[in-house]
Amino acid sequence: MLLHPPGLLDSALLPHWPYAQAVDQALTDQGIPPGTVRVERAGRAYGELMYLVLAWDVSRCAGPGGLRLTWREDTGWSHTLLRAGGGAAIPRGPLTVLHRVYATPEAVTDVAEALVARRFRGYDREWHGEWGGAQEVRTAIGVFRQPLG
């Protein structure tokens, strides 16, 4: 489980950190922790957009390549297939089965497990639930964006 954000940013500068922790914990509890985690925010040109990237390399996935899941606060979850050997990635688009921007960590874990294991028949389910801490994170992001003074 992630105790502190990876990289140089303090968790106080990442208002979406609680969601990242919840998703990472659910993935770890299910036995499919990502090999790479990035919890970041895009620069001022993007309105300080909050995002999260989880990646599994080819050694952690069934099939010929890896997987990257990306969460953005404005659009929710999307996925990209990663080719073995560092070749070009194949963007697959939004994870439309997750109907909420703040999908429950358990739903994200179920979808990630299906994609990592390449068991796409388990991917035909749809999840409509929203994570219980979503409103608090939305509020924290709003406070974070307020001008100082």
Side-chain angles (χ1 to χ4, degrees):
M1 175 177 158
L2 295 171
L3 299 176
H4 303 288
L8 301 176
L9 289 177
D10 184 283
S11 62
L13 299 173
L14 299 165
H16 58 307
W17 175 241
Y19 186 53
Q21 280 185 302
V23 170
D24 181 69
Q25 183 63 55
L27 290 165
T28 300
D29 290 349
Q30 192 66 25
I32 54 167
T36 304
V37 177
R38 286 179 27 217
V39 183
E40 298 186 29
R41 51 179 221 259
R44 294 202 186 278
Y46 299 100
E48 294 289 347
L49 180 73
M50 308 298 161
Y51 67 98
L52 167 66
V53 179
L54 307 170
W56 292 262
D57 65 22
V58 67
S59 70
R60 295 172 179 258
C61 294
L67 172 69
R68 179 172 55 225
L69 297 182
T70 304
W71 174 85
R72 291 173 36 137
E73 67 168 296
D74 58 344
T75 58
W77 291 94
S78 63
H79 70 300
T80 302
L81 300 178
L82 306 174
R83 293 189 177 165
I90 306 167
R92 303 305 292 176
L95 285 169
T96 56
V97 298
L98 297 172
H99 289 274
R100 301 292 190 130
V101 170
Y102 290 89
T104 65
E106 295 76 21
V108 174
T109 298
D110 286 348
V111 171
E113 186 174 37
L115 293 171
V116 165
R118 300 293 201 270
R119 286 189 324 237
F120 298 111
R121 70 177 182 274
Y123 179 70
D124 58 1
R125 183 173 165 211
E126 296 194 16
W127 291 268
H128 295 276
E130 182 170 76
W131 175 59
Q135 189 54 48
E136 288 134 24
V137 170
R138 284 187 188 102
T139 300
I141 290 171
V143 168
F144 177 80
R145 290 196 175 116
Q146 289 178 352
L148 296 175

